[in-house]
Amino acid sequence: MKIKKIETSLMTALLLLGIPVVHAQNPIIQTSYTPDPAPMVYKDRVYVYAGDDIPGFDFYYMTKWRLFSSSDMANWTDHGVPLKLEDFSWAIDRAWASQCIERNGKFYWYICAQTDQNNMGIGVAVASSPEGPFEDALGKPLITTGSWSNIDPTVFIHDDDQAYLYWGNANLYYVKLNKDMISFSSEIMEVPQSRESFGGIRPQKDPAKETNSTDKAQTNIDLFIEGPWFYKRNGNYYQVFAGMEKGKECLSYSMSKSPTGPWKYQGRIMVDQPTNSFTNHGGIVDFKDRSYLFYHTGLLPGGGSYGRSTAVEEFIYNPDGTIPLINISKMGPEPVGTVNPYQRNEAEMMAWAENCKTSQDTKGNVYVSDIRTGGFIKVREVDFGEISPKHFNASVAAGLGAGILEVYVDSIGGSKIATIQVPRTGGWDQWKTLSTKIDIPVTGKKDLFFSFKGENLTLGRRLFNFDYWFFEK
Ligand code: FUB
């Protein structure tokens, strides 16, 4: 952790000196901790429903769920907190892993949380848009069997319209959901586990057949731990799950030719990686004809096992449908789209950010807040076209003056194309759209940097809030 802090302050120093710095894209969100990513492709965007870690605790005490989306896999828009524990009258703690799915224009977000009966339950919230507003569909848990295994729901709608909800920790369960997606008529089924189906068996389940723990450590047997991710692709059904690797979680998977098994263990997907986190939690989707693995690490500065962040890697399936071994990377995937600078773009759409956060007002509007000197936002693949814009506009709010918003292309320390001095606007929620001329013409596709500075005596203090930006020709 110390090394990371040094890296961060070195980066800030380089930026203040105007020296270009190359920034990684993983973890994909830098303004909050975002464990247990659950990607959902809807229309032309990937949505990532995630948890919210609070580093500093020594357990997964989590109170809300966050949402981000992207149309290009490089710039991620923060949609704030569409769901929190208080939205479920029966939930008392542990806002753990979740997944959202669309059916007939409604969005069903399956979550798990600690119930007032002091075990874990699975609930479902419903909305008419992927961004919410969501509300508890039932006013009670959908699954509540008095078990601590009721965590990590994963949902999938089969070609024949039958929806399946799988979940579990140690034991893996499923039900067939009714068409309303908020009830089920089938009994809860437990999926049998064996070496053949999930890589290993737990000693307490079948002690006679299991090796002892020493043998297990030596042979490094895999196990279904938690975090199932169920989907179908090209006639194959997949259960990706958090498995076991030398005392910490890896990502593993099993395949089947039917949605209910039998499952055949296929091996590990992400193993022996310096993730700086005990847990891992995977989700796989195809988007724009490419395949992506979402997972989490504790690699954001200040992070760790209780400060986990979403990361993503592109991969290519083997010809037989099996999944290759995937390593974590700092760079993440290449952009698969561009940003149009001539429309309103949210400031909270970013490929990388430092020394700023995001906040949400009472109407749900998300904006960039807590901006400090040395901070910046990077936006990738902004396509200015063949004719340079003439003006840059930014919607900002400041309770105190003296903030400066500089706009660079290529890198900070590259070409500075615009500068806005941000005055007091009358309050931190009093938005003003400020406009300035472009100093240096800019054309083609560029990475754009918003750099935050302050006049004298502003070091360390809040500079301004930033809601959206656009260029004009
Ligand atoms: O985030 C809390 C729990 O940690 C999740 O429910 C598990 O999958 C593990 O990631």
Side-chain angles (χ1 to χ4, degrees), residues 68-116:
F68 304 86
S69 76
S70 175
S71 61
D72 57 21
M73 294 301 294
N75 299 299
W76 290 91
T77 300
D78 190 330
H79 299 286
V81 177
L83 204 54
K84 48 194 182 323
L85 279 180
E86 296 93 298
D87 296 324
F88 300 93
S89 57
W90 50 270
I92 59 169
D93 203 341
R94 302 183 189 181
W96 286 3
S98 71
Q99 188 182 346
C100 186
I101 198 167
E102 184 264 348
R103 182 168 199 164
N104 297 331
K106 294 258 183 216
F107 296 82
Y108 299 90
W109 192 350
Y110 298 84
I111 58 93
C112 62
Q114 187 177 4
T115 75
D116 50 16

Side-chain angles (χ1 to χ4, degrees), residues 35-36 60 62 96-97 112 151-152 226-227 279-281 296 308:
D36 303 327
Y60 307 99
M62 297 150 69
W96 286 3
C112 62
I151 70 167
D152 296 1
E226 56 186 358
T279 63
N280 201 341
H281 191 107
H296 69 216
R308 303 159 297 170

Side-chain angles (χ1 to χ4, degrees), residues 177-190:
L177 291 170
N178 292 334
K179 287 215 162 71
D180 65 8
M181 300 297 279
I182 59 170
S183 64
F184 55 95
S185 308
S186 76
E187 57 178 311
I188 295 177
M189 304 295 292
E190 182 175 350

Side-chain angles (χ1 to χ4, degrees), residues 426-454:
W428 298 103
D429 56 356
Q430 296 300 305
W431 297 99
K432 280 214 164 90
T433 304
L434 305 178
S435 187
T436 187
K437 276 194 182 147
I438 298 296
D439 296 329
I440 300 175
V442 54
T443 55
K445 287 183 200 158
K446 303 282 182 196
D447 286 350
L448 196 63
F449 290 80
F450 300 113
S451 168
F452 309 129
K453 293 187 178 155

Side-chain angles (χ1 to χ4, degrees), residues 297-357:
T297 70
L299 294 172
L300 194 65
S305 282
Y306 305 108
R308 303 159 297 170
S309 297
T310 294
V312 60
E313 308 298 341
E314 186 182 341
F315 71 96
I316 298 172
Y317 284 87
N318 297 318
D320 62 358
T322 55
I323 302 172
L325 273 174
I326 300 170
N327 291 331
I328 68 170
S329 80
K330 279 189 176 173
M331 282 314 295
E334 278 300 300
V336 291
T338 55
V339 172
N340 174 1
Y342 304 109
Q343 65 181 23
R344 168 176 165 153
N345 287 292
E346 300 304 317
E348 66 274 13
M349 176 188 72
M350 41 181 83
W352 193 264
E354 291 187 14
N355 276 327
C356 60
K357 297 262 173 224

